[in-house]
Amino acid sequence: MKKHEQSALVFRYRNFRLQHHISRQELAKACGVSAQRISQIELGEVPTPHKQAQLVQAMEYVLLQRCQSAALAMEDLGVQKKHLFEWAQERR
């Protein structure tokens, strides 16, 4: 493999993370490592099997949190949808 071809390779973990719009910061918080460390791993620093398991668990945690948040938002939408085009104070 040519050098420039090899430099374009990353772990599939990174591609999955980007495909699903998961930030390194989200994973870092869930995994207990720095976002920079996750970047190093994604770009080719092979993690131990234990660290790989932690990174996968962090990914699962982030996705499950999003699922839970989406379910709550859908529940809230069901309650509020009749009133969405009424005037209200802006929330920030």
Side-chain angles (χ1 to χ4, degrees):
M1 184 177 308
K2 295 179 183 174
K3 177 120 172 122
H4 72 280
E5 291 174 343
Q6 186 176 5
S7 66
L9 295 177
V10 296
F11 283 124
R12 289 177 189 238
Y13 188 90
R14 177 183 178 92
N15 291 335
F16 184 90
R17 178 180 66 76
L18 294 172
Q19 178 184 356
H20 295 284
H21 310 284
I22 300 169
S23 72
R24 285 188 307 268
Q25 289 75 18
E26 287 176 289
L27 290 171
K29 185 176 179 183
C31 190
V33 300
S34 71
Q36 293 80 6
R37 180 77 176 108
I38 291 172
S39 181
Q40 291 169 341
I41 291 169
E42 289 179 344
L43 295 173
E45 189 175 303
V46 181
T48 65
H50 177 72
K51 186 58 71 183
Q52 288 178 25
Q54 283 183 314
L55 289 165
V56 170
Q57 286 179 332
M59 187 76 74
E60 289 172 342
Y61 176 81
V62 168
L63 292 171
L64 287 170
Q65 289 295 108
R66 287 184 179 182
C67 185
Q68 181 181 20
S69 179
L72 291 172
M74 287 298 293
E75 188 177 314
D76 193 26
L77 178 62
V79 170
Q80 295 192 38
K81 67 182 169 184
K82 294 179 184 177
H83 307 285
L84 289 177
F85 294 96
E86 296 174 1
W87 293 104
Q89 278 300 119
E90 185 171 18
R91 292 184 185 175
R92 296 207 184 229

